[in-house]
Amino acid sequence: QVQLVESGGGLVQAGGSLRLSCAASGSIFSFNAMGWYRQAPGKQRELVASITSGGSTNYADSVKGRFTISRDNAKNTVYLQMNSLKPEDTASYSCWGQGGGGRIWGQGTLVTVSS
């Protein structure tokens, strides 16, 4: 079973940066798409960014120009570079990978942005 392991979350001041990583272990195939969701207490889960194996990306309007998603197809690893962080970015960030067998989720990593 493929597992996704996230890292890079933490506490950062507004205006700062964090880089989230999500590495697949035990993979024998490349995900067709990977991405990140986030969810804060009292708010709906939202799709932050996604990227296909071909490199096509999509971003939520709230993070455009500040976040960059990238991936290493050979290692099924996806990254989320988060710049100019705002307090409203505070949330649990979960990565996912979409393959022919379904969608696999990571455990999530907490990002807290202080004002």
Side-chain angles (χ1 to χ4, degrees):
Q1 177 67 43
V2 175
Q3 297 183 29
L4 298 177
V5 181
E6 296 143 312
S7 62
L11 190 152
V12 65
Q13 292 186 338
S17 299
L18 285 174
R19 182 175 182 254
L20 305 183
S21 299
C22 177
S25 63
S27 63
I28 58 174
F29 64 93
S30 295
F31 292 107
N32 302 125
M34 301 184 76
W36 296 86
Y37 276 87
R38 69 183 181 186
Q39 187 168 30
K43 298 180 65 177
Q44 293 182 325
R45 183 170 64 176
E46 66 174 334
L47 179 64
V48 177
S50 64
I51 184 168
T52 69
S53 59
S56 297
T57 59
N58 194 30
Y59 297 93
D61 289 340
S62 58
V63 306
K64 286 181 179 177
R66 300 187 298 118
F67 291 11
T68 303
I69 189 171
S70 60
R71 66 180 290 174
D72 182 332
N73 288 330
K75 296 184 177 181
N76 283 331
T77 300
V78 64
Y79 307 92
L80 187 67
Q81 179 67 46
M82 306 185 294
N83 298 325
S84 302
L85 283 162
K86 305 174 181 179
E88 49 263 47
D89 294 319
T90 296
S92 178
Y93 287 72
S94 300
C95 74
W96 54 266
Q98 181 69 52
R103 181 167 291 189
I104 299 174
W105 291 86
Q107 289 295 116
T109 185
L110 183 63
V111 172
T112 302
V113 184
S114 63
S115 60

